[in-house]
Amino acid sequence: MQLLWFRQDLRLNDHVALWHATQQGQTAALVILSPEQWALHDDADIKIDFYLRQLNVLKADLEQLNIALIVLKVPLWKNIPEAIAQVCAELKVQTVHANIELGVNELKRDFDLQYLLEKKNILVELYHDRTLFPLATIRNKSDLPYKVFGAFKKNCYERLSTSLPTCYPKPEKQNLSYQIENFSQTVPSFEALMGRDSFCSSAELWSVTEQHAVKLLDDFIKNKMRTYQTLRDFPKLDGTSQLSTYLNIGILSIRQCIQALFREQQGHFHIDHEGQQIWLDELLWREFYQHILFDFPQVSKHLPFKENTLKLAWIEDSTALNAWQMGQTGIPIVDAGIRQMLSTGWMHNRVRMIVAIFLSKNLLIDWRLGEQWFMQHLIDGDLAANNGGWQWCASTGTDSVPYFRIFNPVSQSQKFDPQGDYIRTWVPELAHLDAKSIHDPYARNPDLKLNYPKPMVDLKQSRLRALEAFKGL
Ligand SMILES: Cc1cc2nc3c(=O)[nH]c(=O)nc-3n(C[C@H](O)[C@H](O)[C@H](O)COP(=O)(O)OP(=O)(O)OC[C@H]3O[C@@H](n4cnc5c(N)ncnc54)[C@H](O)[C@@H]3O)c2cc1C
C-alpha cells in the first residue's frame, strides 16, 4: 500500500507526490489537522476555514478515484511521526509520499518522520512540487544562492527558455477499493476542530474547488493579463489574478500557471506583451522567496535576512501598534488596506507595501509584529511570501536598492487611488469627501469634524526619524 500525505497541496491535478504514489500501486490518502501547531504559526481563521472547505471537496474527488482520505487530528507536529507510523502499521504501507514543505519546523517534522519510519523499513519519498524549479538548484557561478531578485530572475528565464515545466496528469481511478476501519474519514467543521466560532468565514468571498481555481486562472489569462502592467497597482480595480489564495493551499499549482501563461505560444517560452512578462515576474517573486526561505533558514526563525539590521532600535509602542492593527492610524490608505484584510482576508499588493512600510518606517515598529498580524488575518498567508514581503518593506531583506525605501502614503494614495474610491469602500467615515481631500482629510482644514482619527504621526518627521535610525547601520 502507498500512502499519500496531503499538506498545502489540496488538489488532484498536477500533484507530483500523488501521481508518483498512484503509479507505484494502490494508494490511500492522509491529511493531518494540527490546530495547536497552526496557532503557533499564526495561521488565520479564514485560511483554516478555507482549507477545511477545500478538504471536503478533495475527499469527494478522491472517492471518485477509489482513494480513501484518512483525517487525523494531531494537535502538535512533534506527535506526527508516531501517528503516521500507526497508520502505516495498520494499512501495511510501504512508502509514504508527500510534497516538500518549506520552513524549519516543517523540514524537521519530515526529517523526524523519515528517521522513525526508516527503522520500520518504510520509505518516505518527498517531491519538489511547490516551486517551479527544485530547491537548491538556482545557483550563481560560484554555486551560491542568489540574494537579489534581478539575478535570480535572469537565471530562471534562462532555464524556462530551455523548457517549460509541464504538469502531471490527474491519477486514474484505482481498480480495487479497500476499507479503512480504525481511522476517521470525516472532515470536521471549523467550529468542531477549533472549539470556537470563526470570526471571519471564507465561504461568501472565496469559492473552493480546483475547477473554480482553473476558471479564475483562465479568465485572468484571457481577459486581464494584457492590461496587468497598467492596472495592477490600482487597488480599486480588479487588475490582478487573486490567485494567491489558491496557490497557497495548493488548489492550483505553479506549473498550471506557467502552462496557462504560455498557452497561446503553444507551451514555448516566448513573451508577446508586457502584461505577460510582468505577471511572469510576479510568479518568479513567489519562487524567489521560497528559495530564499530554503537557502537562508534564519528568515523562518524570526531573524532578518540582513544581519546588520538586528541592531535597529525599534520602538515599542503598543498603542500605535494597536491603531495600525485596527485600521485607525488616521492615514486613510493605510486604514483602508488593513480594513480590507480584516474583512476579506486579502489585501491588494500595492497597499500591502504601503501599510508595511508605514509600520516599519514611519512608526518604526518591528516588522515582525506586522508580519505576524498579516499571517493572523490573511487567507493567502504564506511564510515565504509574507516574510519576504515584510523584510523587503522594512529594508531588512532582499531589496537591492542602495537606500532605505520609504513611501509617502499620502502621495501613494493620490497616485494609485486617484478618485479615492478604494478608501471610500473601506473607510466609510470618509465616503462623503471629494477626491482631493480624502487622501489626507485634515491637511487643509485641521478643524474638520469627522468621526475619523487625525494622523497618528507627522509623515515628514517620522520619515526623518526612520532615516536616522537606518543610517546608523
Ligand atoms: C508585506 C507583504 C506581505 C505579503 N504577504 C503575502 C502572503 O502572505 N502570501 C502571498 O501569497 N503573497 C504575499 N505578498 C505578495 C503579494 O502581495 C500577493 O501575492 C498578491 O497581492 C496576491 O494577489 P494576486 O494573486 O492577485 O497577485 P497577482 O498580481 O495576480 O500575482 C500572481 C501571483 O504571483 C505571486 N506574487 C505576486 N506578487 C508577489 C510578491 N510580491 N511576492 C511573492 N509572490 C508574489 C502570488 O502567488 C500571486 O498570486 C505580500 C506582499 C507584501 C508587500
Side-chain angles (χ1 to χ4, degrees):
M1 175 71 90
Q2 309 296 310
L3 185 67
L4 183 282
W5 178 12
F6 281 104
R7 290 112 74 103
Q8 299 297 310
D9 45 13
L10 301 187
R11 66 179 184 280
L12 298 184
N13 290 284
D14 190 32
H15 191 295
V16 182
L18 177 64
W19 189 81
H20 280 284
T22 51
Q23 286 301 102
Q24 287 186 29
Q26 178 132 57
T27 300
L30 166 73
V31 71
I32 300 181
L33 309 176
S34 301
E36 286 178 28
Q37 191 76 37
W38 294 344
L40 292 175
H41 291 195
D42 293 312
D43 282 326
D45 283 4
I46 193 168
K47 184 168 122 181
I48 296 171
D49 185 53
F50 185 67
Y51 187 91
L52 294 174
R53 286 173 49 230
Q54 170 62 14
L55 200 53
N56 261 311
V57 172
L58 183 72
K59 178 176 160 357
D61 290 348
L62 284 165
E63 273 162 17
Q64 303 291 316
L65 303 181
N66 281 338
I67 299 177
L69 178 68
I70 297 170
V71 182
L72 291 188
K73 180 174 169 184
V74 183
L76 287 168
W77 286 354
K78 66 176 190 246
N79 301 317
I80 280 185
E82 264 309 326
I84 295 187
Q86 274 179 27
V87 175
C88 291
E90 181 87 15
L91 300 186
K92 303 201 174 22
V93 169
Q94 288 143 355
T95 309
V96 177
H97 304 260
N99 291 323
I100 294 173
E101 263 197 301
L102 287 173
V104 283
N105 293 338
E106 288 78 353
L107 294 170
K108 180 180 182 318
R109 174 199 62 195
D110 292 351
F111 178 82
D112 291 347
L113 176 70
Q114 272 174 316
Y115 182 76
L116 180 71
L117 294 194
E118 207 172 76
K119 288 195 261 175
K120 301 175 191 288
N121 281 327
I122 301 168
L123 271 177
V124 178
E125 294 277 9
L126 297 172
Y127 303 87
H128 293 277
D129 173 277
R130 202 170 169 78
T131 49
L132 272 176
F133 306 108
L135 298 160
T137 65
I138 312 268
R139 293 289 184 253
N140 64 19
K141 288 201 176 102
S142 314
D143 204 26
L144 293 170
Y146 290 100
K147 292 183 175 180
V148 294
F149 177 69
F152 175 89
K153 175 179 115 171
K154 194 161 167 263
N155 191 310
C156 292
Y157 269 44
E158 280 161 18
R159 291 180 65 155
L160 289 171
S161 63
T162 322
S163 70
L164 288 181
T166 50
C167 296
Y168 285 76
K170 178 176 161 180
E172 291 187 359
K173 187 170 180 173
Q174 301 198 139
N175 284 332
L176 297 169
S177 60
Y178 49 87
Q179 292 297 317
I180 304 280
E181 269 152 18
N182 295 327
F183 301 103
S184 163
Q185 291 178 67
T186 306
V187 177
S189 65
F190 179 93
E191 291 73 18
L193 179 69
M194 309 300 283
R196 61 186 164 81
D197 286 348
S198 164
F199 72 90
C200 187
S201 160
S202 65
E204 274 173 31
L205 291 165
W206 301 97
S207 297
V208 285
T209 79
E210 285 183 62
Q211 293 83 336
H212 180 72
V214 168
K215 195 162 156 284
L216 283 181
L217 172 63
D218 288 346
D219 177 53
F220 175 78
I221 300 287
K222 241 197 203 150
N223 304 320
K224 297 200 220 160
M225 190 167 69
R226 277 200 179 265
T227 51
Y228 181 69
Q229 78 283 8
T230 36
L231 303 188
R232 71 186 180 120
D233 272 320
F234 295 88
K236 186 59 191 166
L237 303 180
D238 181 21
T240 71
S241 69
Q242 301 227 349
L243 286 171
S244 52
T245 307
Y246 298 88
L247 281 164
N248 282 327
I249 66 159
I251 303 180
L252 192 69
S253 81
I254 185 66
R255 289 170 299 279
Q256 287 173 299
C257 293
I258 287 291
Q259 283 294 331
L261 185 61
F262 292 105
R263 194 176 291 145
E264 278 192 13
Q265 291 72 33
Q266 283 74 44
H268 296 296
F269 182 71
H270 182 78
I271 292 174
D272 275 346
H273 54 89
E274 210 187 338
Q276 188 186 17
Q277 193 217 310
I278 296 193
W279 202 62
L280 170 64
D281 290 354
E282 294 308 317
L283 296 179
L284 293 178
W285 271 106
R286 174 183 179 276
E287 183 82 8
F288 177 57
Y289 285 139
Q290 295 190 70
H291 286 258
I292 289 284
L293 186 62
F294 182 75
D295 287 320
F296 301 92
Q298 77 267 22
V299 301
S300 110
K301 296 184 204 157
H302 308 292
L303 290 171
F305 179 77
K306 286 186 184 138
E307 212 183 315
N308 65 331
T309 61
L310 262 177
K311 294 191 294 215
L312 260 167
W314 302 109
I315 292 174
E316 283 182 34
D317 182 343
S318 56
T319 311
L321 176 64
N322 190 257
W324 177 86
Q325 288 174 330
M326 290 299 144
Q328 294 289 346
T329 65
I331 309 291
I333 190 80
V334 172
D335 296 338
I338 292 285
R339 294 183 198 186
Q340 179 182 28
M341 177 175 73
L342 297 181
S343 314
T344 67
W346 190 84
M347 194 195 303
H348 188 277
N349 181 59
R350 168 62 46 184
V351 192
R352 290 189 206 209
M353 292 194 281
I354 297 171
V355 305
I357 291 180
F358 179 76
L359 183 82
S360 57
K361 303 285 174 48
N362 296 91
L363 299 184
L364 214 57
I365 288 181
D366 194 330
W367 58 273
R368 284 163 279 220
L369 296 169
E371 180 197 20
Q372 182 183 43
W373 189 247
F374 267 34
M375 270 316 268
Q376 286 171 347
H377 295 90
L378 283 174
I379 191 165
D380 68 5
D382 169 69
L383 175 60
N386 194 39
N387 183 276
W390 270 96
Q391 295 227 39
W392 186 93
C393 290
S395 303
T396 63
T398 56
D399 190 359
S400 56
V401 295
Y403 52 88
F404 300 111
R405 200 183 290 268
I406 306 187
F407 287 171
N408 179 322
V410 172
S411 321
Q412 290 278 314
S413 182
Q414 287 159 340
K415 189 166 172 195
F416 297 114
D417 185 28
Q419 299 308 317
D421 292 333
Y422 176 73
I423 294 176
R424 271 185 206 97
T425 306
W426 298 110
V427 190
E429 308 93 289
L430 305 180
H432 61 287
L433 297 183
D434 63 30
K436 275 204 173 142
S437 37
I438 196 164
H439 306 283
D440 192 2
Y442 300 103
R444 291 196 218 160
N445 180 2
D447 299 324
L448 195 64
K449 293 277 171 280
L450 287 172
N451 182 22
Y452 181 71
K454 297 214 163 152
M456 59 187 294
V457 278
D458 178 276
L459 292 177
K460 277 192 193 137
Q461 279 171 15
S462 58
R463 178 176 181 278
L464 292 175
R465 181 178 66 178
L467 287 176
E468 197 55 36
F470 276 84
K471 206 168 70 188
L473 295 178

PDB file of all heavy atoms in Angstrom, residues 449-469:
ATOM      1  N   LYS A 449     -14.690  68.347  11.260  1.00  0.00           N
ATOM      2  CA  LYS A 449     -15.331  67.418  12.216  1.00  0.00           C
ATOM      3  C   LYS A 449     -15.614  66.104  11.498  1.00  0.00           C
ATOM      4  O   LYS A 449     -16.455  66.024  10.603  1.00  0.00           O
ATOM      5  CB  LYS A 449     -16.656  68.005  12.736  1.00  0.00           C
ATOM      6  CG  LYS A 449     -16.472  69.229  13.601  1.00  0.00           C
ATOM      7  CD  LYS A 449     -16.153  68.811  15.057  1.00  0.00           C
ATOM      8  CE  LYS A 449     -15.744  69.994  15.912  1.00  0.00           C
ATOM      9  NZ  LYS A 449     -14.355  70.445  15.785  1.00  0.00           N
ATOM     10  N   LEU A 450     -14.878  65.081  11.873  1.00  0.00           N
ATOM     11  CA  LEU A 450     -15.051  63.763  11.252  1.00  0.00           C
ATOM     12  C   LEU A 450     -14.994  62.703  12.343  1.00  0.00           C
ATOM     13  O   LEU A 450     -14.280  62.868  13.334  1.00  0.00           O
ATOM     14  CB  LEU A 450     -13.890  63.463  10.284  1.00  0.00           C
ATOM     15  CG  LEU A 450     -13.822  64.197   8.959  1.00  0.00           C
ATOM     16  CD1 LEU A 450     -12.494  63.876   8.280  1.00  0.00           C
ATOM     17  CD2 LEU A 450     -14.986  63.785   8.072  1.00  0.00           C
ATOM     18  N   ASN A 451     -15.700  61.623  12.109  1.00  0.00           N
ATOM     19  CA  ASN A 451     -15.607  60.509  13.048  1.00  0.00           C
ATOM     20  C   ASN A 451     -14.425  59.628  12.622  1.00  0.00           C
ATOM     21  O   ASN A 451     -14.572  58.430  12.371  1.00  0.00           O
ATOM     22  CB  ASN A 451     -16.928  59.722  12.986  1.00  0.00           C
ATOM     23  CG  ASN A 451     -16.937  58.573  13.966  1.00  0.00           C
ATOM     24  OD1 ASN A 451     -16.191  58.586  14.941  1.00  0.00           O
ATOM     25  ND2 ASN A 451     -17.761  57.573  13.689  1.00  0.00           N
ATOM     26  N   TYR A 452     -13.277  60.246  12.500  1.00  0.00           N
ATOM     27  CA  TYR A 452     -12.087  59.557  11.980  1.00  0.00           C
ATOM     28  C   TYR A 452     -10.862  60.193  12.636  1.00  0.00           C
ATOM     29  O   TYR A 452     -10.785  61.429  12.735  1.00  0.00           O
ATOM     30  CB  TYR A 452     -12.039  59.709  10.452  1.00  0.00           C
ATOM     31  CG  TYR A 452     -10.862  59.014   9.811  1.00  0.00           C
ATOM     32  CD1 TYR A 452     -10.831  57.621   9.753  1.00  0.00           C
ATOM     33  CD2 TYR A 452      -9.778  59.725   9.304  1.00  0.00           C
ATOM     34  CE1 TYR A 452      -9.740  56.962   9.187  1.00  0.00           C
ATOM     35  CE2 TYR A 452      -8.693  59.076   8.739  1.00  0.00           C
ATOM     36  CZ  TYR A 452      -8.684  57.694   8.675  1.00  0.00           C
ATOM     37  OH  TYR A 452      -7.605  57.050   8.127  1.00  0.00           O
ATOM     38  N   PRO A 453      -9.892  59.366  13.096  1.00  0.00           N
ATOM     39  CA  PRO A 453      -8.765  59.957  13.836  1.00  0.00           C
ATOM     40  C   PRO A 453      -7.875  60.868  12.987  1.00  0.00           C
ATOM     41  O   PRO A 453      -7.816  60.727  11.775  1.00  0.00           O
ATOM     42  CB  PRO A 453      -7.969  58.725  14.300  1.00  0.00           C
ATOM     43  CG  PRO A 453      -8.419  57.598  13.446  1.00  0.00           C
ATOM     44  CD  PRO A 453      -9.804  57.906  12.982  1.00  0.00           C
ATOM     45  N   LYS A 454      -7.187  61.758  13.680  1.00  0.00           N
ATOM     46  CA  LYS A 454      -6.169  62.577  13.000  1.00  0.00           C
ATOM     47  C   LYS A 454      -4.932  61.708  12.784  1.00  0.00           C
ATOM     48  O   LYS A 454      -4.737  60.722  13.508  1.00  0.00           O
ATOM     49  CB  LYS A 454      -5.818  63.774  13.875  1.00  0.00           C
ATOM     50  CG  LYS A 454      -7.015  64.663  14.067  1.00  0.00           C
ATOM     51  CD  LYS A 454      -6.635  66.122  14.148  1.00  0.00           C
ATOM     52  CE  LYS A 454      -7.884  66.932  13.920  1.00  0.00           C
ATOM     53  NZ  LYS A 454      -7.946  68.213  14.530  1.00  0.00           N
ATOM     54  N   PRO A 455      -4.073  62.024  11.811  1.00  0.00           N
ATOM     55  CA  PRO A 455      -2.875  61.197  11.559  1.00  0.00           C
ATOM     56  C   PRO A 455      -2.075  60.984  12.842  1.00  0.00           C
ATOM     57  O   PRO A 455      -1.833  61.931  13.588  1.00  0.00           O
ATOM     58  CB  PRO A 455      -2.075  62.019  10.554  1.00  0.00           C
ATOM     59  CG  PRO A 455      -3.062  62.933   9.924  1.00  0.00           C
ATOM     60  CD  PRO A 455      -4.134  63.193  10.935  1.00  0.00           C
ATOM     61  N   MET A 456      -1.711  59.746  13.109  1.00  0.00           N
ATOM     62  CA  MET A 456      -1.045  59.454  14.383  1.00  0.00           C
ATOM     63  C   MET A 456       0.429  59.861  14.394  1.00  0.00           C
ATOM     64  O   MET A 456       1.036  59.929  15.460  1.00  0.00           O
ATOM     65  CB  MET A 456      -1.185  57.972  14.726  1.00  0.00           C
ATOM     66  CG  MET A 456      -0.596  57.047  13.696  1.00  0.00           C
ATOM     67  SD  MET A 456      -0.999  55.333  14.087  1.00  0.00           S
ATOM     68  CE  MET A 456      -0.094  55.125  15.580  1.00  0.00           C
ATOM     69  N   VAL A 457       0.987  60.107  13.206  1.00  0.00           N
ATOM     70  CA  VAL A 457       2.363  60.643  13.165  1.00  0.00           C
ATOM     71  C   VAL A 457       2.443  61.711  12.076  1.00  0.00           C
ATOM     72  O   VAL A 457       1.670  61.682  11.118  1.00  0.00           O
ATOM     73  CB  VAL A 457       3.435  59.572  12.803  1.00  0.00           C
ATOM     74  CG1 VAL A 457       3.853  58.752  13.981  1.00  0.00           C
ATOM     75  CG2 VAL A 457       3.020  58.729  11.615  1.00  0.00           C
ATOM     76  N   ASP A 458       3.433  62.578  12.247  1.00  0.00           N
ATOM     77  CA  ASP A 458       3.729  63.532  11.194  1.00  0.00           C
ATOM     78  C   ASP A 458       4.602  62.789  10.172  1.00  0.00           C
ATOM     79  O   ASP A 458       5.664  62.244  10.521  1.00  0.00           O
ATOM     80  CB  ASP A 458       4.491  64.721  11.811  1.00  0.00           C
ATOM     81  CG  ASP A 458       4.872  65.711  10.747  1.00  0.00           C
ATOM     82  OD1 ASP A 458       5.924  65.505  10.085  1.00  0.00           O
ATOM     83  OD2 ASP A 458       4.125  66.672  10.566  1.00  0.00           O
ATOM     84  N   LEU A 459       4.136  62.768   8.936  1.00  0.00           N
ATOM     85  CA  LEU A 459       4.821  61.917   7.948  1.00  0.00           C
ATOM     86  C   LEU A 459       6.249  62.400   7.673  1.00  0.00           C
ATOM     87  O   LEU A 459       7.159  61.593   7.504  1.00  0.00           O
ATOM     88  CB  LEU A 459       4.013  61.857   6.648  1.00  0.00           C
ATOM     89  CG  LEU A 459       2.667  61.110   6.759  1.00  0.00           C
ATOM     90  CD1 LEU A 459       1.897  61.161   5.447  1.00  0.00           C
ATOM     91  CD2 LEU A 459       2.866  59.664   7.204  1.00  0.00           C
ATOM     92  N   LYS A 460       6.437  63.729   7.647  1.00  0.00           N
ATOM     93  CA  LYS A 460       7.789  64.232   7.344  1.00  0.00           C
ATOM     94  C   LYS A 460       8.758  63.911   8.480  1.00  0.00           C
ATOM     95  O   LYS A 460       9.856  63.403   8.273  1.00  0.00           O
ATOM     96  CB  LYS A 460       7.742  65.745   7.136  1.00  0.00           C
ATOM     97  CG  LYS A 460       7.315  66.091   5.739  1.00  0.00           C
ATOM     98  CD  LYS A 460       7.547  67.554   5.448  1.00  0.00           C
ATOM     99  CE  LYS A 460       6.806  67.906   4.161  1.00  0.00           C
ATOM    100  NZ  LYS A 460       6.116  69.167   4.245  1.00  0.00           N
ATOM    101  N   GLN A 461       8.311  64.210   9.704  1.00  0.00           N
ATOM    102  CA  GLN A 461       9.219  63.970  10.851  1.00  0.00           C
ATOM    103  C   GLN A 461       9.510  62.481  11.044  1.00  0.00           C
ATOM    104  O   GLN A 461      10.635  62.079  11.341  1.00  0.00           O
ATOM    105  CB  GLN A 461       8.594  64.515  12.127  1.00  0.00           C
ATOM    106  CG  GLN A 461       8.788  66.006  12.261  1.00  0.00           C
ATOM    107  CD  GLN A 461       7.975  66.562  13.412  1.00  0.00           C
ATOM    108  OE1 GLN A 461       7.493  65.827  14.263  1.00  0.00           O
ATOM    109  NE2 GLN A 461       7.814  67.870  13.421  1.00  0.00           N
ATOM    110  N   SER A 462       8.491  61.674  10.864  1.00  0.00           N
ATOM    111  CA  SER A 462       8.713  60.235  11.092  1.00  0.00           C
ATOM    112  C   SER A 462       9.608  59.653  10.000  1.00  0.00           C
ATOM    113  O   SER A 462      10.360  58.713  10.231  1.00  0.00           O
ATOM    114  CB  SER A 462       7.387  59.482  11.180  1.00  0.00           C
ATOM    115  OG  SER A 462       6.631  59.657  10.011  1.00  0.00           O
ATOM    116  N   ARG A 463       9.555  60.251   8.824  1.00  0.00           N
ATOM    117  CA  ARG A 463      10.447  59.815   7.747  1.00  0.00           C
ATOM    118  C   ARG A 463      11.906  60.110   8.137  1.00  0.00           C
ATOM    119  O   ARG A 463      12.788  59.260   8.020  1.00  0.00           O
ATOM    120  CB  ARG A 463      10.073  60.555   6.462  1.00  0.00           C
ATOM    121  CG  ARG A 463      10.941  60.233   5.297  1.00  0.00           C
ATOM    122  CD  ARG A 463      10.448  60.938   4.034  1.00  0.00           C
ATOM    123  NE  ARG A 463      11.312  60.567   2.931  1.00  0.00           N
ATOM    124  CZ  ARG A 463      12.467  61.141   2.686  1.00  0.00           C
ATOM    125  NH1 ARG A 463      12.901  62.129   3.454  1.00  0.00           N
ATOM    126  NH2 ARG A 463      13.212  60.734   1.679  1.00  0.00           N
ATOM    127  N   LEU A 464      12.110  61.310   8.650  1.00  0.00           N
ATOM    128  CA  LEU A 464      13.472  61.683   9.050  1.00  0.00           C
ATOM    129  C   LEU A 464      13.975  60.807  10.195  1.00  0.00           C
ATOM    130  O   LEU A 464      15.125  60.377  10.224  1.00  0.00           O
ATOM    131  CB  LEU A 464      13.509  63.163   9.471  1.00  0.00           C
ATOM    132  CG  LEU A 464      13.272  64.161   8.336  1.00  0.00           C
ATOM    133  CD1 LEU A 464      13.215  65.588   8.861  1.00  0.00           C
ATOM    134  CD2 LEU A 464      14.362  64.024   7.269  1.00  0.00           C
ATOM    135  N   ARG A 465      13.062  60.509  11.128  1.00  0.00           N
ATOM    136  CA  ARG A 465      13.438  59.642  12.266  1.00  0.00           C
ATOM    137  C   ARG A 465      13.864  58.257  11.753  1.00  0.00           C
ATOM    138  O   ARG A 465      14.851  57.686  12.217  1.00  0.00           O
ATOM    139  CB  ARG A 465      12.235  59.516  13.201  1.00  0.00           C
ATOM    140  CG  ARG A 465      12.485  58.674  14.422  1.00  0.00           C
ATOM    141  CD  ARG A 465      11.288  58.614  15.336  1.00  0.00           C
ATOM    142  NE  ARG A 465      10.161  57.920  14.721  1.00  0.00           N
ATOM    143  CZ  ARG A 465       8.998  57.696  15.327  1.00  0.00           C
ATOM    144  NH1 ARG A 465       8.810  58.123  16.560  1.00  0.00           N
ATOM    145  NH2 ARG A 465       8.035  57.054  14.712  1.00  0.00           N
ATOM    146  N   ALA A 466      13.136  57.749  10.763  1.00  0.00           N
ATOM    147  CA  ALA A 466      13.480  56.427  10.221  1.00  0.00           C
ATOM    148  C   ALA A 466      14.837  56.484   9.521  1.00  0.00           C
ATOM    149  O   ALA A 466      15.686  55.604   9.714  1.00  0.00           O
ATOM    150  CB  ALA A 466      12.402  55.965   9.243  1.00  0.00           C
ATOM    151  N   LEU A 467      15.050  57.543   8.735  1.00  0.00           N
ATOM    152  CA  LEU A 467      16.330  57.646   8.025  1.00  0.00           C
ATOM    153  C   LEU A 467      17.488  57.681   9.016  1.00  0.00           C
ATOM    154  O   LEU A 467      18.526  57.053   8.823  1.00  0.00           O
ATOM    155  CB  LEU A 467      16.353  58.906   7.147  1.00  0.00           C
ATOM    156  CG  LEU A 467      15.484  58.832   5.882  1.00  0.00           C
ATOM    157  CD1 LEU A 467      15.504  60.157   5.138  1.00  0.00           C
ATOM    158  CD2 LEU A 467      15.958  57.698   4.966  1.00  0.00           C
ATOM    159  N   GLU A 468      17.269  58.399  10.090  1.00  0.00           N
ATOM    160  CA  GLU A 468      18.293  58.493  11.143  1.00  0.00           C
ATOM    161  C   GLU A 468      18.574  57.110  11.750  1.00  0.00           C
ATOM    162  O   GLU A 468      19.723  56.699  11.932  1.00  0.00           O
ATOM    163  CB  GLU A 468      17.759  59.467  12.221  1.00  0.00           C
ATOM    164  CG  GLU A 468      18.784  60.019  13.178  1.00  0.00           C
ATOM    165  CD  GLU A 468      19.957  60.709  12.462  1.00  0.00           C
ATOM    166  OE1 GLU A 468      19.784  61.355  11.416  1.00  0.00           O
ATOM    167  OE2 GLU A 468      21.064  60.539  13.002  1.00  0.00           O
ATOM    168  N   ALA A 469      17.503  56.375  12.038  1.00  0.00           N
ATOM    169  CA  ALA A 469      17.660  55.049  12.662  1.00  0.00           C
ATOM    170  C   ALA A 469      18.404  54.096  11.729  1.00  0.00           C
ATOM    171  O   ALA A 469      19.263  53.322  12.169  1.00  0.00           O
ATOM    172  CB  ALA A 469      16.288  54.478  13.003  1.00  0.00           C
TER     173      ALA A 469
END
